[in-house]
Amino acid sequence: MVQRIRKAVFPVGGLGTRFLPATKAMPKEMLPVVDKPLIQYAVEEALAAGIEQIIFVTGRGKSSIEDHFDFSYELQDTLLKRGKLDALTVATEMVNRSGSVAYVRQQEPAGLGHAVWSARHLVGDEPFAILLADDLVMSKQPCIGQLVDVYNETGGNALAVMDVPREHTERYGVLDVGADDGRLAEVKGLVEKPAPSVAPSTLSVIGRYVLLPEVFDILASQEKGAGGEIQLTDAMARMVGSAPFHGLRFEGTRFDCGDKIGFLEATLAHALTRDDLGGDVQALIDGYASLSARRQAG
Ligand code: G1P
């Protein structure tokens, strides 16, 4: 019997330089897709997959994330007095049971591996999930839940992966693939951000992981990798062979919200699925499409 996945780590210490000036005084994880911050989508995904304990690895300037997952008495009082009960529900439903959310600070931006390592005492000696809020996944079953299922099936480590155009391998951790049944690909090796010419495949890691706690022992050596940072990918690569290790071609659509076009696409895709907005947003898109068709014709 495998140990149950109860804890999820959310590295939220990054600087968000690609979204300046919006992220100068506000965490990038608080950027809203339609009307909900990126980090809330990720936390809801984890809770929907049965995760019970949320661990944020934060940094300076990230306190609004803590406030977001807490009660706001002035706001609640005002909404209650005005009879805005629907808004009151929206403002309070993401508040988790006291003690189920923990925060630890990553004092220096030394890389994703360093961020995950900073959560070692809170995770302890059990397998755990990692979610990167920049990667927003729209799917029927929560993406991290799909990975938990793989872990329950195979044990060991499991990563969500997708095929990317070869010219994009420099943006991702990339798999060296062993046995592959089209859904699960055995991980034989991993390389962080390889040049297209040397990438072992085009099967790339997106920000969803289920890992064994042994990763902390490897991260403890604090070895620097690509970009001079302590890379999670390098630590994972060193776990290959010691336990089952799979990449799952997950069901769903992933939006790279660390990128402006990806973020805009996520916003449109989510708005289009909303009962209260979908029709109006579709009409907007149609309007812009016919405007650009007229411009091209004229
Ligand atoms: C990180 C990881 C990379 C992974 C990517 C997914 O990179 O280091 O292996 O493929 O997330 O989004 P980053 O996007 O932080 O540069």
Side-chain angles (χ1 to χ4, degrees), residues 95-240:
V95 178
N96 310 100
R97 226 153 32 101
S98 253
S100 59
V101 186
Y103 301 88
V104 62
R105 275 200 181 200
Q106 179 191 18
Q107 279 90 351
E108 36 180 337
L112 180 59
H114 182 261
V116 170
W117 180 74
S118 304
R120 65 200 178 282
H121 296 306
L122 294 173
V123 173
D125 190 22
E126 58 182 281
F128 64 105
I130 304 171
L131 292 92
L132 308 185
D134 275 1
D135 283 323
L136 182 53
V137 185
M138 203 184 224
S139 56
K140 280 201 212 85
Q141 189 195 355
C143 184
I144 198 69
Q146 297 177 41
L147 282 187
V148 170
D149 284 353
V150 169
Y151 163 81
N152 289 335
E153 238 172 81
T154 63
N157 301 292
L159 316 172
V161 297
M162 60 187 263
D163 259 311
V164 303
R166 189 161 270 278
E167 63 268 26
H168 291 175
T169 56
E170 256 162 330
R171 302 180 190 172
Y172 298 94
V174 177
L175 267 59
D176 185 0
V177 181
D180 187 352
D181 68 7
R183 173 178 165 264
L184 279 188
E186 185 199 349
V187 179
K188 266 197 344 195
L190 280 160
V191 192
E192 179 68 3
K193 303 197 169 82
S197 56
V198 296
S201 76
T202 53
L203 208 53
S204 303
V205 178
I206 65 140
R208 299 291 183 276
Y209 313 76
V210 168
L211 297 180
L212 298 176
E214 284 73 25
V215 74
F216 293 122
D217 302 333
I218 299 170
L219 286 169
S221 69
Q222 309 267 304
E223 275 170 36
K224 293 193 173 124
E229 296 191 337
I230 299 167
Q231 296 292 353
L232 181 62
T233 302
D234 296 342
M236 294 191 305
R238 286 177 52 191
M239 292 202 287
V240 170

